Amino acid sequence: MNDLRRRWDLGSLCRALLTRGLAALGHSLKHVLSAIFSKIFGPLASVGNMDEKSNKLLLALVMFFLFAVIVLQYVCPGTECQLLRLQAFSSPVPDPYRSEDESSARFVPRYNFSRADLLRKVDFDIKGDDLIVFLHIQKTGGTTFGRHLVRNIQLEQPCECRVGQKKCTCHRPGKRETWLFSRFSTGWSCGLHADWTELTSCVPAVVDGKRDARLRPSRWRIFQILDGTRNFHYITILRDPVSRYLSEWRHVQRGATWKASLHVCDGRPPTSEELPSCYSGDDWSGCPLKEFMECPYNLANNRQVRMLSDLTLVGCYNLSVMPEKQRNKVLLESAKSNLKHMAFFGLTEFQRKTQYLFEKTFNMNFISPFTQYNTTRASSVEINEDIQKRIEGLNFLDMELYTYAKDLFLQRYQFMRQKEHQEARRKRQEQRKFLKGRFLQTHFQSQSQSQSQNPSQNQSQNPSPNANQNVTQNLIQNLTQNSSQNLSQKENRSNQKQKPGHKPNESTSSNGTNDYIGSVEKWR
């Protein structure tokens, strides 16, 4: 009762002071505003635009605004409310991952992918034997992405890159062996711009110091499967086929040939009859676009499908093994399958989303954000509609693969972003429960302390003096049990992540999957 009387007296005093202050402030503001209005609207008084009623109305609005500010400051003087007020008047922060072309807002999925296809989470052990293998396709922005991997990534032991040298030293922490297989770390160890067929046969042998095993690809594929202690995580970058084709033409026009490419398949490189040359001189510099498109042996045609597929399924470069239609179908399905099961792939047209998905997949963060360059050499080439259609026809397999890859890429981005929002919401709910429990615990402890200080008064008002203490003890016990259960659940989840080959419980992920499938149905 004494506390209530003191609180009531304090509230009455505050209200009285606030009323007097507002009255005095209103009186002084009335004189100030009238002086200002007389200066500003004095010449217009004869017209009748400013009368006594408008003065009173404006004064009432100003008084109401000042009263609201004073009450808000009295009710919530802390920094939290100040931050809320600043956020209310500030403009919303734009989403950095939708800065490319806002395509995610218009994105409508075409393919039905499973949760395993969309969820990409690699437990990359940089201190163990895991290895990231970068499959670099020509003119897809792979040089820029490769530099990001060696110069722009946060590591316990960063790569050592010296001025004037193309390759960097990327060692594991405490070891003298690399964790990255790329042109900027190991060089072209499996040949210039080695494709999927070459890398899967060559990388295990190169890593183990057995370079002569390139001529025995089938044996080392078996070795790769049986070697369970070493994980090879393949990654790549794709690009819009028309832009990539024009970029390669401009590159060849300046003198590029890529003669050092081995094209090893099934233990041997192709013969000159299997892979004829499109030019007779040292290079193909200065060739016009029409001549570039007319060569039937030009490897620029459908290059992305060829570099991502298993060429041994179609007899490598021997075109007489099967009909052309069947060969194209096998190559396309193989490229799609290999791309889907890769640890990661990005798209040149979506630099920030590529950065986001790589960071979420490997749990490795970049130092500075990626930059989207919309002006390239390919974009400077002006072509008419007929040439555009002809380039698309020459790269019809790449066009279908890119459509498939873009759909999978954006669905993975949407899925990972939604999963991230769900995790943030779950953490906020747990934090609110924790703060609520702390508040109740403090409240009951203060009540028990006041009861212990005034035992005679408590006995007259409460026939059971131990009731509040029992409630407090039960509350503390429940909070302790809940916290221990949460800790045990987190430990179980961490243990499940550490066990190789362990699949998460379907019930724990069904909510996220159902939410995502529901959103996909809405997009349809």
Side-chain angles (χ1 to χ4, degrees):
M1 293 298 294
N2 293 331
D3 293 339
L4 291 176
R5 289 195 188 97
R6 283 196 295 268
R7 293 177 184 175
W8 178 262
D9 294 340
L10 182 60
S12 301
L13 179 62
C14 290
R15 285 194 295 271
L17 292 176
L18 183 61
T19 304
R20 293 182 181 179
L22 290 175
L25 182 62
H27 185 70
S28 60
L29 281 175
K30 183 177 181 180
H31 290 288
V32 173
L33 291 174
S34 60
I36 294 174
F37 290 150
S38 62
K39 291 290 184 181
I40 297 176
F41 300 101
L44 301 177
S46 60
V47 186
N49 292 334
M50 197 67 184
D51 53 2
E52 187 67 22
K53 291 183 179 180
S54 61
N55 285 334
K56 292 181 179 180
L57 179 61
L58 186 59
L59 180 62
L61 291 175
V62 173
M63 293 292 294
F64 178 76
F65 176 75
L66 292 175
F67 176 76
V69 171
I70 294 173
V71 169
L72 181 61
Q73 187 66 29
Y74 176 77
V75 173
C76 186
T79 57
E80 293 81 1
C81 291
Q82 295 178 8
L83 292 175
L84 290 175
R85 287 193 291 271
L86 290 175
Q87 292 177 358
F89 287 102
S90 62
S91 59
V93 179
D95 188 356
Y97 301 109
R98 296 179 60 179
S99 61
E100 280 102 355
D101 60 356
E102 293 289 334
S103 62
S104 60
R106 306 189 300 267
F107 170 60
V108 178
R110 296 178 55 184
Y111 297 89
N112 293 323
F113 295 105
S114 64
R115 186 179 187 275
D117 297 333
L118 299 179
L119 180 59
R120 272 293 177 269
K121 191 70 174 178
V122 176
D123 189 12
F124 182 67
D125 187 8
I126 193 173
K127 297 182 179 180
D129 294 325
D130 292 0
L131 186 71
I132 294 178
V133 182
F134 182 32
L135 195 160
H136 187 172
I137 304 175
Q138 290 95 318
K139 313 311 296 179
T140 58
T143 300
T144 302
F145 184 77
R147 288 197 181 101
H148 280 304
L149 292 177
V150 297
R151 298 177 181 268
N152 187 32
I153 199 164
Q154 297 178 1
L155 297 172
E156 179 182 345
Q157 182 176 336
C159 298
E160 297 180 4
C161 301
R162 298 181 180 180
V163 180
Q165 294 183 358
K166 292 184 179 180
K167 292 195 301 182
C168 303
T169 303
C170 299
H171 284 162
R172 306 180 191 272
K175 296 182 180 180
R176 294 188 60 83
E177 59 181 43
T178 186
W179 56 270
L180 176 64
F181 194 96
S182 70
R183 63 173 292 190
F184 290 116
S185 57
T186 58
W188 302 111
S189 301
C190 292
L192 179 63
H193 288 286
D195 53 34
W196 189 90
T197 306
E198 294 176 288
L199 285 177
T200 54
S201 302
C202 169
V203 169
V206 171
V207 171
D208 292 296
K210 301 175 181 177
R211 300 176 183 271
D212 59 338
R214 296 183 195 173
L215 302 179
R216 302 190 299 273
S218 59
R219 175 182 173 184
W220 290 109
R221 280 207 186 101
I222 297 174
F223 167 77
Q224 181 183 0
I225 296 173
L226 295 177
D227 187 9
T229 61
R230 189 181 299 277
N231 295 319
F232 299 100
H233 304 288
Y234 288 88
I235 64 174
T236 192
I237 301 292
L238 298 183
R239 187 180 181 182
D240 173 73
V242 176
S243 299
R244 198 214 65 79
Y245 189 84
L246 292 173
S247 181
E248 181 169 344
W249 165 64
R250 292 295 300 270
H251 196 60
V252 169
Q253 197 179 40
R254 295 191 299 270
T257 61
W258 295 302
K259 287 182 178 180
S261 298
L262 301 177
H263 304 303
V264 175
C265 178
D266 206 8
R268 65 175 182 85
T271 63
S272 58
E273 291 78 13
E274 293 175 338
L275 189 61
S277 178
C278 289
Y279 54 91
S280 57
D282 294 334
D283 55 40
W284 207 5
S285 59
C287 72
L289 180 58
K290 182 179 179 181
E291 180 182 348
F292 188 77
M293 292 188 296
E294 287 178 350
C295 179
Y297 313 108
N298 192 350
L299 291 180
N301 302 337
N302 296 314
R303 181 180 289 275
Q304 297 182 97
V305 168
R306 181 184 61 82
M307 294 196 67
L308 290 175
S309 60
D310 186 358
L311 298 179
T312 60
L313 300 176
V314 295
C316 298
Y317 294 89
N318 187 359
L319 302 181
S320 62
V321 173
M322 62 180 64
E324 181 181 2
K325 186 176 181 180
Q326 182 182 358
R327 175 186 175 88
N328 292 334
K329 182 179 180 181
V330 173
L331 288 176
L332 181 60
E333 293 302 321
S334 177
K336 286 182 179 180
S337 178
N338 291 334
L339 184 71
K340 183 176 67 174
H341 292 96
M342 276 186 173
F344 163 81
F345 74 89
L347 299 181
T348 308
E349 290 75 18
F350 301 94
Q351 291 291 316
R352 296 300 297 274
K353 294 182 178 67
T354 297
Q355 175 186 356
Y356 173 82
L357 287 179
F358 182 88
E359 291 177 342
K360 294 299 180 183
T361 300
F362 288 96
N363 195 23
M364 303 170 71
N365 296 324
F366 291 96
I367 300 172
S368 58
F370 288 9
T371 304
Q372 183 70 44
Y373 296 104
N374 294 321
T375 302
T376 60
R377 290 189 177 95
S379 63
S380 63
V381 179
E382 296 182 0
I383 57 176
N384 56 35
E385 186 177 355
D386 294 336
I387 296 179
Q388 170 92 12
K389 291 183 178 179
R390 187 175 179 185
I391 294 176
E392 292 177 355
L394 291 173
N395 296 271
F396 70 99
L397 295 179
D398 276 9
M399 294 293 295
E400 189 169 347
L401 175 66
Y402 185 78
T403 301
Y404 176 87
K406 184 178 178 181
D407 191 276
L408 177 57
F409 177 85
L410 292 178
Q411 284 201 48
R412 282 180 177 175
Y413 169 77
Q414 296 278 12
F415 181 78
M416 294 300 291
R417 289 281 282 177
Q418 188 178 45
K419 190 172 181 295
E420 184 182 26
H421 293 331
Q422 291 175 353
E423 184 68 18
R425 183 166 60 249
R426 184 188 62 80
K427 289 182 179 179
R428 288 195 300 267
Q429 292 175 354
E430 289 183 355
Q431 186 178 12
R432 284 195 293 267
K433 290 181 181 179
F434 174 77
L435 293 176
K436 185 178 180 180
R438 289 288 300 273
F439 171 77
L440 293 175
Q441 180 181 358
T442 306
H443 174 71
F444 284 117
Q445 285 180 351
S446 61
Q447 279 193 352
S448 62
Q449 290 177 359
S450 62
Q451 290 175 1
S452 62
Q453 292 176 359
N454 300 319
S456 58
Q457 185 177 359
N458 292 332
Q459 289 178 359
S460 61
Q461 295 180 357
N462 189 3
S464 179
N466 296 325
N468 289 330
Q469 294 181 358
N470 294 332
V471 173
T472 305
Q473 292 177 358
N474 293 333
L475 179 62
I476 295 174
Q477 185 177 2
N478 292 332
L479 290 173
T480 306
Q481 291 178 355
N482 291 333
S483 61
S484 62
Q485 291 177 0
N486 292 332
L487 289 175
S488 62
Q489 291 177 1
K490 292 180 180 179
E491 290 178 355
N492 292 332
R493 288 197 295 266
S494 63
N495 292 331
Q496 291 176 359
K497 291 181 179 179
Q498 292 176 359
K499 292 181 180 179
H502 181 77
K503 295 183 179 180
N505 191 1
E506 293 295 333
S507 61
T508 58
S509 59
S510 59
N511 293 332
T513 308
N514 293 333
D515 294 342
Y516 176 72
I517 294 175
S519 61
V520 170
E521 293 298 330
K522 291 181 180 178
W523 294 334
R524 294 184 185 278

